[in-house]
Amino acid sequence: MESNGWEDPRSLGSTSTRGPGGAPGGGEPAVDGDRGAGSVEHCPLHLSSCHECLELENSTIESVRFASAENIPDLPYDYSGGLEGLDDDLRPERDERRVNVTGKAPNILLYVGSDSRDGLDRLQQVRSALADCVDTDCYTLYHLPPESALRDPWADNCLLLVIATAEPVPEDLCRRFTAYLSQGGKLLALAASFTLPGFRVTSKTPLRDTVQTLVFCKADGSPVRLSVLSSGCVYEEGPGEPLGPGKLRGHLDSEDGDRLLVQVPFGTHGGEAVLCQVHLELPPSSPAVQTQEDFNLLKSSNFKRYEVLMEILTTLGLSCDAKPAPALTPLYLLSATEEIRDPLMQWLGKHVDPEGVITSSKLSLKFISSYTSEIEITPSAIPVVTDMESFSSENFNFEIYQQNLQTRKLGKVILFAEVTPTTMSLLDGLMFEMPQEMGLIAIAVRQTQGKGRGKNAWLSPLGCALSTLLVCIPLRSPLGQRIPFVQHLMSLAVVEAVRTIPGYQDINLRVKWPNDIYYSDLMKLGGVLVNSTLMRETFYILIGCGFNVTNSNPTICINDLITEYNKEHGAELQPLRADYLIARTATVLEKLIDTFQDQGPNGILPLYYKYWVHSAQQVRLGSAEGPKVWIVGLDDSGFLLVHQENGDVVTVHPDGNSFDMLRNLIVPKQR
C-alpha cells in the first residue's frame, strides 16, 4: 500500500495487528531484536485476496486513520472491522451519523464508464445532483473507475451503486454489478445501458435529448408530472423474469406511454435497482439542453426533478432528510469609508452598556474587539467584532462591495455574518439611535430563519444575496405619503442593478407585483420584505431582500440567466457576485428614492412598467370562480389597479393578496 504521506503506523506503540497465520503484520514471523517492543510491520496488501487479508486491510486503514487523521484523505472503509486490537483509550470515536442499519460504510459509488472528458463531466454532474439530495456529512460519494470496479472489494463497503453512462458496460463488470445486487445491494442506473432480467433497453432516436413529460408514480401511489430530458431510450420487456414489479415507475405522457423508469427487486437478499432513462442528474443549464424553450420547461420542473430523485434515493434506503442548520457565526462591524469609522466608534462608545452590549426587544449585540471560539453565539445574543483588520470571508469580498457602493448614505455601515438567524433582526437595536447618515445594512451569506411575507419562510442557500437595509423617509414627503411604493422600488433596484451593467441589459430579469423578482414571468428568484415604523415625523424602514445569484437550486439564479444568454447569443458575459450586486442594488435604490421624492410616482412608473410581468394580464379576483379582471397598472399609492368587465377599476392591496402565477389568480395571502 502506498503511504500517500501518512505517518508511520508504528506510532500506535503497543497496538498490534494480526495477519494470516498469527504473524504480526501479516508478513514473515517477527524476529526478536529486529524492531523495538510493540512495533508493527505492515506488509503490502492485495485487495482481491483472501478474507483474512481483507480484514487486515480494513484494520490497517482504521489504525493509520487514527494515528494521523489530519494527513489522511477520506477513504471508503468498513466501520465494523479491525478495532478489536485497540485499547479503549486508543479506539477512535465513530461518527454515529455515518453509521447505518446495514452495517456498511456510508459510501455511494459512482460508475461513469471510461475516464474520458465526457465521463469526468458526467461524474461531476452526478456528484452535484446527489450532493443536493443527501447530507454529505452522512454519506461519502466516490468515483468507481472501471479498473477498481473489476479489481477491488468495493461491494461490502457500498450502500448505493450509481451507474451513469450510455457506454456498454463490459460483461465482466455486469456480472460484478449483478453479484452486488444478489447480495442485497442497491443500484440506480441513470440513462445507462445497464439493465436486468425482464427488461431490455430500446433506442428511440427521436426522443434523444428532447424534453418530454414524465408521469412518475411514487411509492405511495401518488403521481408527479414533470418535464424531463430524455436519453433517447425506453424499457421494453426482455428475456428473463424479474422478481416482481416495484412500486416506483415512470412513463411518457404520450399515446405510446413508453416506460422510462422501473424499480426492479433482485435476488433473495433484498437487492433492488431503479433503472431510469431520463437525465435526472443533469441541470437545466446542461449543454445537452438545446433551446431556450427546453430550458424554461426544465427549470419550471427543477424542484420536481429533485423530488423524484429524492423519492428514488429514499426507496433505495438512503436518507434525504434536511441537512442540519449551519452553526451561527459572529457579526463583523464594517464601514465602507474611512471618514465614517471614527464617528461610528465614538457613537458606539456612548451607547453600549458597561458590558459592551446593546439590547433590543429581539436580541442583544455584544461589541468586542476580537472573537474566540469560547464566546457563545445564540439567536438572541450575538457577538459583534469591531476590529476590521481581522475580517476575512471566502464568500464576501469587502473591497468589491466598497468599490461598487456609490451612495451618499445607504449601506455605509455594515453588519456582516457568514451565518445568522435572519438579517431582519440584526438592526433592531441600532436603527432608531444611530445617525441616519451612517446608513445601516446587514448582510449575511446564510440565514437559518429567513423570513418572507406573512408566515412564509425564506430559503437561504449559499449563493443567495441576503441583506436588510435601513432607509429613513420623512413622513411629509412624496414617498412618506406612499410607503407601499418602497417594496416596488427595492424590487426595481435589484433588476436595474443587473440590467444597467453594460452588456447585461437583455438579461430577462423582471419585477412582479407586489414584491418579487422573477425570471421572465416563469420563476421567482428573489423577494422583498418591508417592515416600517413611524416615530414622530420619520418612517424607519427595514427592507429585507434576498435574490439568487449563484445558486441554481431550488429554482433559478441570475448566473443561470447569464449562462443561457451566452449560449443563445454566443456572448461571453461573466457571472456576477452577490457582494457586487448588493452594493449596486443599494446604489440604484438611493437614486430611485431621490427620483421619487423629486417627481412622485410618475418619475419611476415608466421604468417599473418596462420591467414588470403584468402588462394586460388577465386574472380572476379572489378565487378561480371570481370575477375576471385585467391588470392596468399601479395607483397613486402603489396598490394594484385592475379593470373589471363592467368597466370599473378597482384597487387590490399588496398585503392582502398574492399572485399564483401558474393559474393567473389573485388569492388571499395567509396572515
Side-chain angles (χ1 to χ4, degrees):
M1 177 181 291
E2 296 179 358
S3 68
N4 292 327
W6 299 350
E7 292 181 7
D8 191 335
R10 286 172 287 185
S11 62
L12 282 175
S14 61
T15 304
S16 64
T17 306
R18 291 281 171 182
E28 298 177 357
V31 179
D32 291 342
D34 285 352
R35 290 175 295 276
S39 62
V40 179
E41 179 182 0
H42 292 280
C43 294
L45 300 171
H46 34 100
L47 293 178
S48 57
S49 182
C50 59
H51 179 69
E52 288 82 4
C53 283
L54 297 183
E55 288 188 336
L56 176 59
E57 169 70 359
N58 288 326
S59 175
T60 303
I61 290 175
E62 286 284 5
S63 301
V64 176
R65 174 182 289 272
F66 180 59
S68 181
E70 69 274 12
N71 292 327
I72 301 175
D74 283 336
L75 293 173
Y77 64 95
D78 186 347
Y79 282 95
S80 62
L83 294 180
E84 291 78 6
L86 290 180
D87 295 333
D88 287 343
D89 58 341
L90 291 177
R91 190 183 300 271
E93 293 183 6
R94 297 179 180 179
D95 184 348
E96 293 300 328
R97 290 186 304 164
R98 295 172 66 93
V99 178
N100 52 77
V101 294
T102 67
K104 293 184 177 181
N107 299 324
I108 301 172
L109 302 188
L110 312 177
Y111 176 82
V112 294
S114 62
D115 291 334
S116 63
R117 180 71 260 174
D118 287 345
L120 295 177
D121 287 344
R122 279 195 302 275
L123 175 65
Q124 183 58 38
Q125 291 158 351
V126 175
R127 189 193 300 271
S128 177
L130 295 181
D132 285 337
C133 295
V134 302
D135 187 349
T136 51
D137 287 335
C138 297
Y139 299 99
T140 309
L141 282 67
Y142 288 104
H143 180 203
L144 182 65
E147 60 274 13
S148 295
L150 278 173
R151 182 193 67 219
D152 296 344
W154 52 267
D156 290 337
N157 291 314
C158 177
L159 279 182
L160 175 67
L161 171 64
V162 179
I163 303 174
T165 177
E167 300 172 4
V169 179
E171 287 188 15
D172 48 359
L173 264 184
C174 280
R175 287 194 294 271
R176 289 216 73 179
F177 294 161
T178 305
Y180 163 71
L181 279 171
S182 67
Q183 296 165 9
K186 309 294 183 182
L187 184 148
L188 170 60
L190 293 169
S193 59
F194 179 84
T195 190
L196 290 168
F199 298 96
R200 69 167 179 264
V201 177
T202 301
S203 175
K204 282 202 168 183
T205 304
L207 295 178
R208 182 177 177 83
D209 290 341
T210 62
V211 174
Q212 303 291 331
T213 300
L214 173 71
V215 180
F216 173 74
C217 182
K218 300 172 73 171
D220 63 5
S222 59
V224 178
R225 293 172 57 90
L226 68 156
S227 297
V228 294
L229 188 66
S230 170
S231 70
C233 294
V234 300
Y235 293 108
E236 295 182 343
E237 291 184 6
E241 287 292 331
L243 187 63
K247 293 182 178 180
L248 302 185
R249 57 189 183 275
H251 64 269
L252 273 180
D253 186 15
S254 65
E255 185 176 345
D256 293 337
D258 291 313
R259 281 186 291 187
L260 297 182
L261 189 148
V262 292
Q263 180 184 358
V264 187
F266 192 88
T268 59
H269 294 89
E272 203 166 21
V274 173
L275 311 178
C276 179
Q277 287 299 334
V278 297
H279 286 291
L280 294 176
E281 79 282 7
L282 292 184
S285 57
S286 166
V289 180
Q290 299 172 1
T291 68
Q292 186 72 40
E293 181 182 2
D294 286 350
F295 171 80
N296 292 343
L297 288 170
L298 292 174
K299 256 304 180 183
S300 296
S301 288
N302 203 37
F303 183 84
K304 291 182 178 180
R305 175 173 72 99
Y306 279 100
E307 180 184 357
V308 169
L309 192 50
M310 287 190 282
E311 177 76 8
I312 292 171
L313 294 173
T314 301
T315 300
L316 291 174
L318 274 67
S319 171
C320 293
D321 293 340
K323 299 179 182 180
L328 300 179
T329 63
L331 294 168
Y332 281 84
L333 182 65
L334 309 172
S335 53
T337 59
E338 290 185 8
E339 56 267 23
I340 206 172
R341 187 69 186 176
D342 286 342
L344 171 63
M345 298 309 294
Q346 291 171 10
W347 178 91
L348 196 60
K350 296 177 181 178
H351 287 79
V352 296
D353 68 13
E355 301 297 322
V357 175
I358 292 179
T359 301
S360 72
S361 61
K362 296 181 179 178
L363 80 167
S364 63
L365 302 177
K366 182 178 177 63
F367 292 84
I368 55 178
S369 59
S370 61
Y371 173 76
T372 62
S373 58
E374 289 77 20
I375 300 175
E376 184 181 15
I377 306 175
T378 70
S380 59
I382 304 177
V384 184
V385 180
T386 58
D387 179 16
M388 287 183 57
E389 297 298 323
S390 64
F391 174 74
S392 66
S393 171
E394 294 181 359
N395 301 298
F396 181 79
N397 188 313
F398 188 47
E399 288 186 7
I400 290 177
Y401 178 85
Q402 288 176 298
Q403 292 165 3
N404 290 280
L405 184 73
Q406 306 294 324
T407 61
R408 298 186 316 279
K409 295 181 180 179
L410 297 188
K412 294 289 190 180
V413 173
I414 304 99
L415 281 178
F416 173 83
E418 294 285 346
V419 183
T420 200
T422 169
T423 58
M424 288 297 289
S425 299
L426 297 181
L427 306 184
D428 190 57
L430 306 174
M431 57 187 289
F432 302 120
E433 303 294 337
M434 188 171 284
Q436 294 181 18
E437 61 270 15
M438 291 188 178
L440 281 170
I441 186 172
I443 298 173
V445 175
R446 298 284 303 275
Q447 294 181 132
T448 60
Q449 301 170 18
K451 299 182 184 300
R453 291 182 67 219
K455 297 180 180 179
N456 291 348
W458 178 261
L459 299 178
S460 307
L462 190 66
C464 190
L466 304 168
S467 65
T468 295
L469 186 65
L470 174 63
V471 176
C472 299
I473 302 295
L475 170 63
R476 303 184 189 282
S477 68
L479 187 54
Q481 296 296 301
R482 302 170 177 85
I483 289 300
F485 263 104
V486 171
Q487 61 191 331
H488 309 323
L489 296 182
M490 187 64 182
S491 301
L492 181 57
V494 173
V495 174
E496 272 280 276
V498 174
R499 298 187 66 160
T500 54
I501 303 171
Y504 292 73
Q505 62 273 8
D506 293 324
I507 299 300
N508 198 3
L509 198 62
R510 297 188 175 274
V511 294
K512 189 202 78 144
W513 178 90
N515 62 340
D516 289 334
I517 300 116
Y518 256 60
Y519 159 50
S520 184
D521 61 350
L522 298 173
M523 278 166 278
K524 178 176 177 176
L525 59 70
V528 174
L529 175 64
V530 174
N531 288 341
S532 61
T533 303
L534 179 62
M535 290 187 64
R536 294 179 290 276
E537 292 290 309
T538 301
F539 276 107
Y540 293 84
I541 303 172
L542 292 178
I543 307 175
C545 183
F547 54 95
N548 300 335
V549 181
T550 66
N551 54 305
S552 294
N553 299 315
T555 56
I556 195 171
C557 69
I558 289 171
N559 284 347
D560 285 340
L561 307 189
I562 295 170
T563 298
E564 288 305 304
Y565 181 86
N566 287 342
K567 187 190 303 183
E568 185 175 353
H569 296 89
E572 296 182 353
L573 299 181
Q574 296 300 304
L576 301 177
R577 297 174 53 99
D579 38 29
Y580 171 76
L581 288 180
I582 292 173
R584 282 186 60 86
T585 298
T587 301
V588 173
L589 178 64
E590 188 172 83
K591 293 177 181 177
L592 291 174
I593 290 174
D594 289 345
T595 300
F596 196 102
Q597 296 291 48
D598 289 341
Q599 303 175 32
N602 291 335
I604 60 94
L605 280 176
L607 185 62
Y608 186 80
Y609 292 149
K610 175 183 176 181
Y611 293 134
W612 85 332
V613 299
H614 306 299
S615 296
Q617 186 176 10
Q618 184 183 90
V619 295
R620 289 187 180 272
L621 200 59
S623 70
E625 291 75 33
K628 187 185 299 182
V629 297
W630 289 263
I631 297 173
V632 295
L634 300 183
D635 69 8
D636 188 62
S637 297
F639 300 144
L640 192 67
L641 284 175
V642 294
H643 190 273
Q644 295 181 311
E645 288 184 295
N646 62 7
D648 292 342
V649 174
V650 296
T651 293
V652 181
H653 287 216
D655 61 352
N657 294 272
S658 173
F659 279 150
D660 177 343
M661 294 295 290
L662 298 180
R663 299 185 182 180
N664 275 356
L665 301 177
I666 298 177
V667 296
K669 170 76 71 171
Q670 288 187 348
R671 300 297 299 275

